[in-house]
Amino acid sequence: MGIKRIGVLTSGGDAPGMNAAVRAVLRTALYHGIECYGILRGYNGLINADVIRLDEKRVSHIINRGGTVLYTARSKEFMTEEGQKKAASTCKFLGLDGIVAIGGDGTFRGAQALSKCGVNVVCIPATIDNDICCTNYSIGFDTAANTAIDCIDKLRDTMQSHERCSVVEVMGRNAGYLAMYVGLAVGATAVLVPESPIDLQKDVVEKIRQARLNGFTHYMIVVAEGAGSASDIANQIHDALDLDPRVTVLGHIQRGGTPTARDRVNATKMGYLAVELLRAGKTNRVICTDQGGFVDIDISEGLSRQKLPLQLEADVLAAMTGI
């Protein structure tokens, strides 16, 4: 029996490009004569049958919008076996033949639980942290990086004018991919990430000192939130060098904003592929980027993988910083 009706939801932290993915899911479904329903507020909405029917008008002009028009929420109830069974029951009651779940690894675990309850699911990776182990790239990362870069470029202007040290904290949860990428792009004096043990004297103090000996009078330190508090790092710099660093925590501004072309296009391709996978009878799958293309793998395999270390980025950073 073919797919007649599907649902799409966004879960976990929002990421620019989620709307583009929702749009692609709907338009691909309509192209094949499939009804598509938006599930509001993630798995919490699925438990409570909080759905809306999607059509061309509802997704018109959302490809350029940040956030998610379907909203997102975390559901403690869905973390329980009872909640998962209730969500699966809702799928059966509404006649949903499949679910496209857009989000991070927590979203994937939720989809995996639904799959065990007999629901056909396909996941699309979307998180600004880019910390999903099974894919090289996740929707939202490029936009978040460009937002952070733009903010730091502006910040550098005033830091240079006043000859100051700036410590900027970027998001990334427990991963340093965003911080490392941004640090390389802005030419930071030093970048601190949770993947590497921090030796403040070697990784920060000596690089600032060397930069000053080379004639520089302003310094940019980028800190991943998982590597520690920017305020604590600034205090340590003050104690070591008698500098008075200025602290900037970019925070949730990195999650917002108009998605970049890269995020829009990747989201659109992934949304299309998600529907095609459901039409092909595949379930418990996650769409991943691999060597410039797209592949789909079992969610269990995806969750079991480990992210490759940031060795190349670290090597490049060592050559580029503190000079």
Side-chain angles (χ1 to χ4, degrees):
M1 183 173 63
I3 299 291
K4 297 181 179 179
R5 184 179 299 127
I6 64 173
V8 56
L9 62 83
T10 54
S11 178
D14 61 308
M18 279 183 164
N19 285 329
V22 170
R23 173 183 178 272
V25 169
L26 178 277
R27 295 185 71 88
T28 306
L30 292 182
Y31 178 76
H32 292 296
I34 300 170
E35 293 180 20
C36 185
Y37 285 79
I39 301 162
L40 303 180
R41 301 172 185 87
Y43 292 117
N44 190 58
L46 187 58
I47 288 175
N48 297 304
D50 189 6
V51 301
I52 55 172
R53 183 163 183 169
L54 297 179
D55 55 28
E56 294 96 330
K57 188 174 182 180
R58 282 192 180 272
V59 301
S60 177
H61 304 302
I62 69 170
I63 194 170
N64 60 309
R65 290 172 57 185
T68 164
V69 296
L70 298 181
Y71 311 112
T72 181
R74 303 188 189 278
S75 174
K76 291 184 178 179
E77 184 179 2
F78 187 75
M79 294 179 184
T80 66
E81 185 177 351
E82 181 180 353
Q84 294 160 7
K85 289 181 178 179
K86 188 175 180 181
S89 178
T90 299
C91 291
K92 185 175 182 180
F93 175 72
L94 296 176
L96 299 178
D97 299 313
I99 297 290
V100 177
I102 306 168
D105 51 8
T107 302
F108 295 178
R109 291 187 180 91
Q112 184 182 42
L114 281 179
S115 180
K116 292 178 180 177
C117 293
V119 180
N120 295 323
V121 293
V122 174
C123 293
I124 295 176
T127 168
I128 69 167
D129 305 330
N130 203 32
D131 60 347
I132 299 175
C133 298
C134 59
T135 184
N136 295 326
Y137 184 82
S138 60
I139 296 168
F141 176 74
D142 191 60
T143 305
N146 278 281
T147 296
I149 290 165
D150 183 58
C151 290
I152 292 174
D153 285 346
K154 289 180 171 64
L155 185 62
R156 186 189 293 278
D157 292 341
T158 185
M159 290 298 106
Q160 184 173 15
S161 297
H162 291 273
E163 299 182 304
R164 285 176 174 157
C165 174
S166 181
V167 182
V168 181
E169 183 178 310
V170 302
M171 296 181 78
R173 200 169 53 169
N174 296 318
Y177 300 97
L178 183 60
M180 188 72 81
Y181 192 87
V182 169
L184 285 172
V186 301
T189 308
V191 180
L192 304 180
V193 296
E195 288 85 353
S196 302
I198 297 174
D199 182 335
L200 190 80
Q201 185 67 29
K202 173 177 175 291
D203 298 332
V204 180
V205 172
E206 284 302 322
K207 288 186 176 182
I208 292 175
R209 181 174 287 129
Q210 188 61 53
R212 182 64 187 90
L213 291 171
N214 287 330
F216 294 94
T217 57
H218 67 284
Y219 322 98
M220 183 66 64
I221 313 301
V222 175
V223 182
E225 63 178 338
S229 163
S231 295
D232 290 343
I233 298 298
N235 288 335
Q236 293 178 63
I237 292 173
H238 176 271
D239 292 342
L241 293 168
D242 277 340
L243 290 177
D244 188 19
R246 294 295 190 266
V247 175
T248 303
V249 179
L250 296 183
H252 286 78
I253 191 174
Q254 296 159 97
R255 283 189 178 175
T258 301
T260 61
R262 184 182 183 189
D263 277 329
R264 298 186 200 190
V265 171
N266 276 345
T268 299
K269 290 178 179 179
M270 287 180 170
Y272 167 82
L273 290 171
V275 177
E276 293 299 328
L277 286 172
L278 289 174
R279 290 184 65 241
K282 292 189 175 183
T283 185
N284 199 47
R285 311 298 291 178
V286 54
I287 299 170
C288 309
T289 59
D290 182 55
Q291 297 181 352
F294 296 92
V295 297
D296 62 277
I297 64 174
D298 187 271
I299 294 176
S300 300
E301 179 186 348
L303 289 172
S304 68
R305 290 188 179 181
Q306 292 186 336
K307 195 83 170 179
L308 294 176
L310 294 164
Q311 190 57 54
L312 175 59
E313 289 83 354
D315 291 343
V316 174
L317 194 67
M320 298 294 158
T321 56
I323 57 175

